[in-house]
Amino acid sequence: MRVVKLTAAFICLFSLHLGAKGFSQTVSFEGNNVPLEKVFNAITLQTGYVVVGSKQLLRVAKRVSIHVKDSPLPEFLEAVFKHQPLGFTIIEKTIVLRPMANAKAKLLDATSPAEIVALLDITGRITNEQGQPLPNVSIMIKGSAIGTVTDNNGAFKLQAPGESAVLTISYTGFVSREIVVDYQKSHIEISLVLLDNELQSVVVIGYGTQRKRDVTGAVANVSMTNIKEMPVAGVDQALSGQVAGLQISTSNGIPGGGPQVQLRGIGAIGAITSPLYVVDGYALSSSSSQISNPMNDIAPQDIQSLTILKDASATAIYGSRGSNGVIIITTKSGASGEPKVQVSAYTGIQKLPPRANPNLMNASEFAAFKKESISDQILASTGVEATPDQIPEIYRNPESLGEGTDWFDVITQTAPINNINLSLSGGNDKVRTYLSAGYLNQQGVVISTGYERYSLRANVDASLGKRLRVGVNLAPTFTRRGKYITGGQGRNEQGFGEALVASPIPPVFNADGTYNAMIQEDPSIFPYPNPLMALKEVDDKSQSTRILFSAFGEYTLLKNLKLKSTINTDWQTFERKFFHPSTVGYLFQFPPTIPTAANNTASYLNLLNENTLAYQGAFGDHSLTGLLGFSVQHETTAGSNFTGNDFPDDDVRTFNAAARITGSTSAEEWALISYLARVNYSFKDKYLITGTIRRDGSSRFGEDNRWGNFPSLAVGWDISKENFMRNISWINELKVRASYGRSGNFQIGNYTHMSQVVSSNYVLGGSLAGGRIMNTLGNPNLGWEKMRETNIGIDLALWNSRVFVTADFYKRNTESLLLNVELPRSSGFSSAIENHGNIQNKGVEISISTRNIVRSNFSWNTDFNISFNRNKVLALGPTGTPILAGSSYEGNPTNITIVGQPIGLFYGFVFDGIYQTQADIDKGPSFPGVVPGNMRVKDIDGDGVINDIKDFDIIGNPYPKFAWGITNTLTYGRFDFRASATSQIGGNKISSVQFTTHLLDGLFNVSRDLNDRWRSVDNPGNGKVPTTNGTGYGRRMYRDINSLFVENNSYFWIKNITLGYSLPKSNRIFKSARFYISIQNGLLFTKYTGNPEVTSYVEGGSALTPGYDSNPYPVPVIYTLGTNLTF
Amino acid sequence: MKAKMNIFFLTLSCTLVSCNKLLEVKPETFTSGSNYYKTENQVRTAVNGAYSVLQNLNNNGNYWIFTEVRSDNTTYQYNPNNRCCITREQVDEFLNTSTDRYTETVWTTLFNGIQQCNVILSRIEGATFTDDAKKNQYIGEAKFLRGLLYFNLVRLFGGVPLRVEEVRGPGDAFTEERASVEAVYAQIIQDAKDAAEKLPASYPGESVGRATKGAALTLLGDVYLTRKDYPNAIKFLQEVTGLGYQLVPEYADVFSPLNKNNSESVFEVQYDAGIQGENSNFFFNFGPFTAGLDLTGFQGQLGGLNIPTPSIINAYEPGDKRKDASIGYYANPDNNNAFESFPGGNIPFIKKFYHPPFPNNGWTNEDWPVYRYAHVLLMLAEALNEDNKTGDAYAPLNRVRQRAGLAPLSGLSKEGFREAVYQEERVELAFENQRWFDLLRTGRAIEVMLAHGAEEKVRLARVGSESYNVQEYMLVFPIPASEVRLNGFEQNPNY
């Protein structure tokens, strides 16, 4: 260990010397082959001089044989050190040992009294951040062996030489500091800051906490300092690039939206793959999606810590819900002491980067495109050049039309974002309180979208008497939203998708200032409703209320035995109101239209009761903790969807004005009963073992397969505590871990195992005849999806804990996969969910945290992580038949899942150039209606004719080779700076938006890429865009799934840059005050044409259709100015 | 909710047994299949549900694509701008392949109906009935429907998987082989015979629309006629004639929504635009795509998916009242650009299923005729003639002609009579999903369609040279590719 530890004996001697007076200056000693320690003891006893030096120095010392009487001390020392690899220096009455080879150690020489005069007495006190004294902290004079340690009061006393002296203060678990000795100030008060990600720190695990050094599973603690102040609604968005193996995909930029969160690859197909969220011990039932996101209901400022449980050993305690990982969130609680008031606020703007614009044609380009494509068509079909009057008038003079309307610009804006969070915490020994209130207002960069959140939190805990502790957490949140737009292209998106296709030629407004309601300059193009008008005039507002409540009581039965019982409720309501007025048209429908309205509501109530008995004990070298628990969770959900039709006008928009109302209501429930147990045993803090088991019974499975057991076992060995490691001073900690366990996934429908007999009415005798049909096939044997995972990990702390490395190797198999198995349609069903299949994810995760520079006025820390995951399907369905999934605009599958390959590879036509001439066509392969200029694709089945699916092949892999993230944090004086980036290398996406923007049919506006289309043999364009001619497959294949629109998705994205400045602490108003500027989503480096983080398997898709990019809501760059004040 | 709360808070002291009850959740938005089909009432609603599958076929199931558009009666209206859904057009021009999604939809819908019938038939013995007559009736209805669905399948696809038992779980869903055409027909005949035995000849008012004895006998007659077993066809069709059916005096009235389940109706699929979710939408799919506002009063494009050809328009004899009742024209200057347009900008449309005004956009009120008495008479005429009883065959044929305002026929040779009955079947039953099957049954499909294709190539510049290359193998449609892939059985040849 580099941290110099003095032997207990020396410390003892050192304190003796403080009061030593009147000792003699001579030494007498008799002894053969004695260790130096013994000699030094004698010196101290006889002279009062003490000897200090590191233990390591003494280790190299040779034994001596001395026989002297009343020898003067200098002579005696000369004799003792004669053949030693050590030197010594006498400073006043201290003999300091130094290595002989070290020239720097010759700071002082007993023979240079002048310098001895310069010695300075320094006293000081070392505390932690809370002001509590830290004993045994090492204080060394830099470059020498001079040093001491603090006493039980954190106090120390030292004599430092020279003006240039620097004190190095180090203590395991805290950030080391260096202090320049100031001659004006002989007393130093220093508080040390706790290290993050440190093996010593305490981490929250399922149902309790553990010292990080005792953890045997793969558990990642998120550094809250690395993600604070990011302008995000939910903390999960801030996790991007922070944790190895945790992939956060900001699929769209809708205010208040949620990212796709994926741990260690896709581990499920038929069930949802998002992790379990546990907030203050409460496992929430709802999972994250692109719009609804449980993390958005917790203000990030209220979060104290975030822990990611990765491997089966860590997640098995959550049994049937753990297989996709667990994210544990602990909110802040009050601490005893003076009340502390904190204000966090930021304000900013959100602006779309230029790359968000789809780069469509302007008015004159589009008119030229129309003109030319119509002329080309006439020439190709009649052999005669088109005459001007065959071209619609509007397109005859393209240049005269100018720029026209850029609809994307019209519907987007620079939008403000504002957030304020106020908290009050404090308490005494008996009661501790944390209260907070927050308000977030994020308007949308797309007009009429936005998100507002009002949140409150009260966390109170109290000790009632000596044995009972009780607490309550109450967190109500109220949110309001504007339009629901996650993306889309062209149909019924109330304006957003229309902006991608509406013609650039017509203006937004008529000459009289009214909206130009339908965008169509010529009957040959689709008439779309005005995108801006649709966004502004179609009402679509929603709001939700969520109240999270937890209460607990903990009773100490015996000294080491605690009984804890919690009751938790999660209540949420949601309401969405929609009204489409008569003034806004639809595709092909000009206004006035018949007004319609919709009203959707949803509510759910989740109840959880957990009871645990926890034991903690230690006997000598053995320490043991144990946990037994019983838990019951139950949820009811209810919803309604009503449509009001035939409103007479737009004035009254509530349902009382609807002439016709249709709708439905629904109700569902589920329940989960669990028994759990865990034992942690450690011997000498070196050998660690953890065993966990949970038994879950779920209502979501068939009666015979309802119960599942989820055991895990993990072992750890703290090698650095072994004696043979004592000599390796640059390794501070070294621990290896290995675990094996099972966890499950229950995120399927509440009633999937039942065959559903639903309403399907008929008419008999001219009246309604109630009818029922069986529309899904039940599976009474449906059971758990079982994840089996092996994890081997290593934790390392190096070079005075300046470098921390954690590496994990894992292999997780999801067996008895809940799979929606495709069935032959002759069964009357298209699919049924079964336990069939096996997916493997294996990978490596490495996290490295370094403290590159550690100075009192300048520090630089780096957190780096990298993860490699390989996904492979080992078995699929009863027969291994590949699964085709997704649906292109032509109704063809987009992804294929094959045994032996990763899930959901892209599947489509393989572009093979463009037919230049008829002779080229005749060489084949071809298809009915082919003309020169059409695209040629590979004839996969070799029959000479191009057909859907039969000629499809694998055209891309949606998974990256690896993903990495890096955060650099610098502080310089009162300034602090942080930059976080995330990156993926390798992998493809299908830029499916281009199937729309590259439409050759001339029905709507198109990408500028189409200017480079094939026109003739002499004018072949860029060789990647076919002709607009032909009526057959040619144009259609280009907008069906094909390899042209499969792009490389590698990217490097600097997600956040923050620069802060703290005011001096002496300020009377604030205890602390800091101001900062921040840029979120600032710099993106990629060749991919769209948002490289888009995922398509949350809404409207499944795990089987990854990487299908459908024009998501654009992600803005957010510039904010913020402050954190503590009073 | 309150009860749930109580259960919940009891868990602290709950025993294992009471807790486990919490896991037995009951669905509220549907009924679990294992708890259904147990009472008379439940069986009745299940039978009603089986009928509802037929509604899907002719609404968005696109069934007419395979029976009318495939034939020489109708085509699609080419939309030069919107080149969506080419594969639907390919069915018309004999370019379709096994991956066509419309083929799969029809296959899926037909088998979905069969599963509904099979569930009823597999479980009805376990259900409690107070009235055995009802039980027999439900068995008869399910068997009639199953027979009808298989009859459609076997004519479209040839041999298909033959399922007569409920699929109880995923393990039952796969079939290693297709049954032979003979085996499928044997099952159809068995089902139709059982149904004819069990079904009543008529129903009281509230049950009108259910399959009757007459419907089952007609199905049986049609099957025998298709199998060229003329004596049996005659036997059963003649039985139908004794059941009191009457032709409606005016042909146009047969299809009017005001005249549902009329005296001529043997079996029709019931729709009702006055009942939420029970409307048909035929004209909105069939009509010229530009005709939305003019013909329906609603904005938006119509489907343009089922447009009469000159071939059918010219097939009517002069003076045939059925022509005007069956075909209308839509005139619009924009139509001049349309390939299918007639001189003057007229695009023909199917008028049989056009009865404005429509209550809502996309809602029509017509029923779909499956078997009409006129059809029974024509089948009887065809069977008698083929059975060398041409003399007896005139009466049924002429009753149909008479209603159409045409002179009775007489003195024809057997061959001459055959042609006459084919002609009569074509115009009488135009657009009623019979034409393709008639061509198949009478062995004329290749010859007629090649001739029709040649005409269309001349008329429609959009029809390419590779279209209408009608070959023997095209007389059955390809089995949907997913079916072949999952079951691993043989595809129809050349697909």
Side-chain angles (χ1 to χ4, degrees), chain A residues 589-590 755 760 765 772 826 1003, chain B residues 31 33 52 78 81 208 299 483:
Chain A
Q589 286 191 49
F590 285 69
S755 80
S760 181
R772 292 288 198 95
S826 58
L1003 300 179
Chain B
T31 312
S52 76
Y78 180 82
N81 293 333
V208 169
Q299 291 223 5
E483 192 75 20

Side-chain angles (χ1 to χ4, degrees), chain A residues 523-526 565 567-568 587-592 594 605 607-609 611 630 632-634 636 646 660-662 665-673 675 697-699 703 706-707 750-751 754-758 760-775 777-780 821-829 832-834 878-879 881-884 889-892 928-929 947-950 1001 1003 1030-1033 1035-1036 1039, chain B residues 1 4-5 8-9 11-12 14 16 19-34 36-37 44-55 78 80-87 90 95 97-99 101 104 107-108 111-112 115-116 119 123 161 163 166-175 205-210 261 267-272 275-276 278 298-301 334 359-361 363 462 466 482-483 485-487 489 495:
Chain A
S524 68
I525 67 162
F526 278 7
S565 189
I567 287 186
N568 308 273
L587 177 63
F588 298 122
Q589 286 191 49
F590 285 69
I594 300 165
L605 176 66
L607 303 167
L608 168 68
N609 168 236
N611 308 288
F630 170 64
V632 183
Q633 192 158 12
H634 181 261
T636 48
D646 303 341
R660 190 161 51 86
I661 298 170
T662 57
T665 63
S666 63
E668 296 195 3
E669 65 175 312
W670 62 263
L672 184 72
I673 298 174
Y675 303 88
S698 167
S699 65
E703 205 165 340
R706 190 165 276 164
W707 288 87
N750 287 328
Y751 307 105
M754 302 177 183
S755 80
Q756 303 195 353
V757 180
V758 301
S760 181
N761 297 328
Y762 196 57
V763 180
L764 288 171
S767 337
L768 181 72
R772 292 288 198 95
I773 56 169
M774 184 184 279
N775 79 335
L777 190 54
N779 182 358
V821 175
E822 188 180 13
L823 299 180
R825 309 302 189 269
S826 58
S827 63
F829 305 96
I833 196 150
E834 291 187 72
T879 57
T881 312
I883 302 177
L884 300 176
Y889 296 113
E890 301 306 321
N892 284 321
N947 292 124
D948 290 0
I949 305 175
K950 286 177 174 176
D1001 298 351
L1003 300 179
T1031 58
Y1033 251 48
R1035 274 159 34 188
R1036 178 178 176 270
R1039 67 180 137 86
Chain B
M1 183 60 74
K4 297 273 158 62
M5 291 283 283
F8 178 75
F9 286 110
T11 56
L12 266 174
C14 80
L16 252 162
C19 264
N20 287 354
K21 273 189 182 159
L22 203 62
L23 299 180
E24 283 154 23
V25 297
K26 266 202 174 149
E28 295 186 47
T29 54
F30 65 92
T31 312
S32 169
S34 53
Y36 208 70
Y37 310 96
R44 189 185 68 244
T45 53
V47 171
N48 296 349
Y51 283 106
S52 76
V53 175
L54 296 178
Q55 290 178 326
Y78 180 82
N81 293 333
N82 190 354
R83 300 303 301 123
C84 136
C85 322
I86 288 177
T87 61
Q90 290 176 332
L95 296 170
T97 67
S98 64
T99 52
R101 61 178 147 141
E104 185 177 284
W107 172 278
T108 304
F111 271 111
N112 181 270
Q115 161 76 0
Q116 305 311 326
V119 177
R123 300 211 198 170
R163 298 189 161 280
E166 171 193 2
V167 174
R168 289 175 194 274
D172 292 348
F174 296 83
T175 24
E206 75 276 4
S207 289
V208 169
R210 293 184 181 281
N261 303 308
F267 184 67
E268 65 190 56
V269 182
Q270 312 283 311
Y271 295 90
D272 195 326
I275 301 172
Q276 176 70 37
E278 300 301 315
F298 293 96
Q299 291 223 5
Q301 289 196 336
D334 285 349
N360 282 298
N361 196 354
W363 291 24
R462 63 166 162 87
E466 63 286 336
S482 61
E483 192 75 20
R485 174 165 51 86
L486 293 164
N487 277 324
F489 54 48
Y495 280 108

Side-chain angles (χ1 to χ4, degrees), chain A residues 995-1008:
Chain A
F995 299 134
T996 297
T997 61
H998 286 63
L999 188 86
L1000 296 163
D1001 298 351
L1003 300 179
F1004 34 83
N1005 198 10
V1006 287
S1007 164
R1008 290 197 163 114

Side-chain angles (χ1 to χ4, degrees), chain A residues 562-573:
Chain A
K562 286 176 178 169
L563 177 68
K564 185 175 180 182
S565 189
T566 70
I567 287 186
N568 308 273
T569 66
D570 178 6
W571 181 75
Q572 191 170 11
T573 64

Side-chain angles (χ1 to χ4, degrees), chain A residues 179-217:
Chain A
I179 306 284
V180 181
V181 173
D182 181 349
Y183 270 70
Q184 307 303 312
K185 233 161 109 187
S186 58
H187 186 79
I188 305 171
E189 289 273 343
I190 290 165
S191 68
L192 292 184
V193 179
L194 256 178
L195 274 177
D196 284 322
N197 285 335
E198 160 65 35
L199 289 166
Q200 286 286 3
S201 59
V202 166
V203 293
V204 182
I205 55 169
Y207 297 92
T209 59
Q210 213 173 6
R211 285 189 305 171
K212 173 85 181 168
R213 69 186 318 153
D214 295 340
V215 170
T216 47

Side-chain angles (χ1 to χ4, degrees), chain B residues 41-106:
Chain B
N41 209 18
Q42 288 173 342
V43 171
R44 189 185 68 244
T45 53
V47 171
N48 296 349
Y51 283 106
S52 76
V53 175
L54 296 178
Q55 290 178 326
N56 304 341
L57 264 187
N58 289 305
N59 269 351
N60 294 322
N62 286 289
Y63 187 58
W64 66 89
I65 297 277
F66 298 86
T67 53
E68 293 292 335
V69 183
R70 179 73 156 186
S71 78
D72 54 348
N73 273 0
T74 64
T75 185
Y76 59 92
Q77 186 182 0
Y78 180 82
N79 185 339
N81 293 333
N82 190 354
R83 300 303 301 123
C84 136
C85 322
I86 288 177
T87 61
R88 189 155 45 189
E89 302 171 359
Q90 290 176 332
V91 176
D92 186 18
E93 298 176 15
F94 292 80
L95 296 170
N96 56 308
T97 67
S98 64
T99 52
D100 170 47
R101 61 178 147 141
Y102 300 98
T103 312
E104 185 177 284
T105 303
V106 165

